Amino acid sequence: MRARRPMLAANWKMYKSVAESQAWAEQLKAAVVEEGIGADRDLIVAPTHLALWAVATVLADSGVAVAGQTLDLGVEGALTGAVSAYLLRQAGASWVLVGHSERRQHFGEDDALVAEKAKAARHAGLGVILCVGETEAERAAGATWSRLTQQLEPVVARLSPADWAAMAVAYEPVWAIGSGRTPSPEEIGEAAAGLRQWLAAAVGPTAEATRILYGGSVNEQNLPEFWRQPGVDGALVGGASLAVERFLAMARIPLVPGGGTQ
Ligand code: 13P
């Protein structure tokens, strides 16, 4: 038995109209029904906020979960343009991405705000995919590990140990996102092992239940090698998730029950 249920998550970023999102979800649902895809792993789709309800409606009862790509703090209120964890849940989300590097880079989200968002999401009962990763300059300076722990520490400080059973940590090196470049499978395995060891020390035994994902230029060709690494529970996929056939190819990768891929 695997220690944790494998996970494959699609992050569509600012792509797909509502109609395109619905069509993708319908094709995925057909494969789930016909082939039993997703029986041995969690499948999660993160559409734009606009398409979230439509996608969740198509995927209701399919076992495929829907995630928000970000959230704002608060519940309801006079906050023009904001979307809270509560509203995401009401629209059908059961997960949310927090701390994606594009949010950090283009929307000024710092480590403390990211941690507050993780707390708000957990408070509303959402599972959280917490994204962490180093820039190319940080990697070159040998600061990868200190950057990762710097991102994790404020989250650990705000959550209870029990929350970590409903958390996934996505290791997404910033330089690997959308670049076609990735760390080697062994480096990804080492990062996952390091993250779990750090979490176990910081959080305690519930860290055993936290899924650790890799993200950054994942595709149907390289994912089997990444998934084969002990301690890598799955992937967060951007560009290669946009075509449903490519996501299905990744969702069909045979997994060995004890860990790894066939
Ligand atoms: P790409 O798979 O397009 O590199 O994006 C990764 C990512 O940012 C997923 O959140």
Side-chain angles (χ1 to χ4, degrees):
M1 276 292 287
R2 282 172 175 267
R4 291 161 295 278
R5 192 170 155 82
M7 180 183 274
L8 179 67
N11 174 12
W12 289 350
K13 310 189 179 187
M14 199 170 73
Y15 290 102
K16 292 193 186 294
S17 67
V18 175
E20 289 164 348
S21 303
Q22 260 174 323
W24 188 105
E26 269 153 18
Q27 278 182 265
L28 177 66
K29 187 173 181 179
V32 167
V33 171
E34 284 160 30
E35 301 173 41
I37 284 177
D40 63 350
R41 67 200 74 185
D42 284 347
L43 300 178
I44 302 180
V45 186
T48 66
H49 284 165
L50 282 176
L52 197 145
W53 184 79
V55 168
T57 302
V58 172
L59 295 175
D61 305 323
S62 70
V64 180
V66 176
Q69 295 179 10
T70 183
L71 74 156
D72 296 295
L73 301 180
V75 178
E76 288 184 305
L79 290 163
T80 301
V83 175
S84 68
Y86 165 77
L87 293 177
L88 287 173
R89 260 203 91 144
Q90 295 307 310
S94 48
W95 287 86
V96 65
L97 308 186
V98 172
H100 192 281
S101 72
E102 287 149 19
R103 300 295 313 175
R104 296 176 190 263
Q105 192 182 338
H106 302 297
F107 299 90
E109 296 191 10
D110 62 17
D111 297 339
L113 177 59
V114 167
E116 285 298 322
K117 290 187 173 195
K119 183 179 167 186
R122 286 302 306 131
H123 189 73
L126 291 172
V128 172
I129 300 177
L130 173 69
C131 304
V132 296
E134 82 287 359
T135 62
E136 183 135 52
E138 287 160 348
R139 189 177 184 88
T144 297
W145 192 247
S146 60
R147 183 65 192 118
L148 298 184
T149 56
Q150 197 180 29
Q151 290 169 319
L152 286 166
E153 271 161 5
V155 184
V156 169
R158 283 169 181 80
L159 299 187
S160 72
D163 284 317
W164 289 86
M167 298 285 294
V169 175
Y171 171 52
E172 297 209 314
V174 179
W175 54 272
I177 295 175
S179 66
R181 295 160 56 211
T182 69
S184 70
E186 293 73 25
E187 285 173 320
I188 292 170
E190 279 164 26
L195 285 167
R196 184 164 314 283
Q197 208 176 7
W198 187 90
L199 274 179
V203 173
T206 32
E208 222 7 71
T210 306
R211 259 81 63 92
I212 296 186
L213 313 178
Y214 168 74
S217 297
V218 171
N219 57 43
E220 58 277 44
Q221 277 85 40
N222 62 23
L223 180 55
E225 274 300 313
F226 300 156
W227 228 332
R228 195 167 292 150
Q229 300 299 312
V232 175
D233 299 309
L236 177 58
V237 188
S241 75
L242 292 173
V244 69
E245 297 77 17
R246 298 187 71 190
F247 185 77
L248 282 171
M250 291 183 270
R252 288 187 187 110
I253 292 170
L255 297 174
V256 177
T261 52
Q262 275 173 13

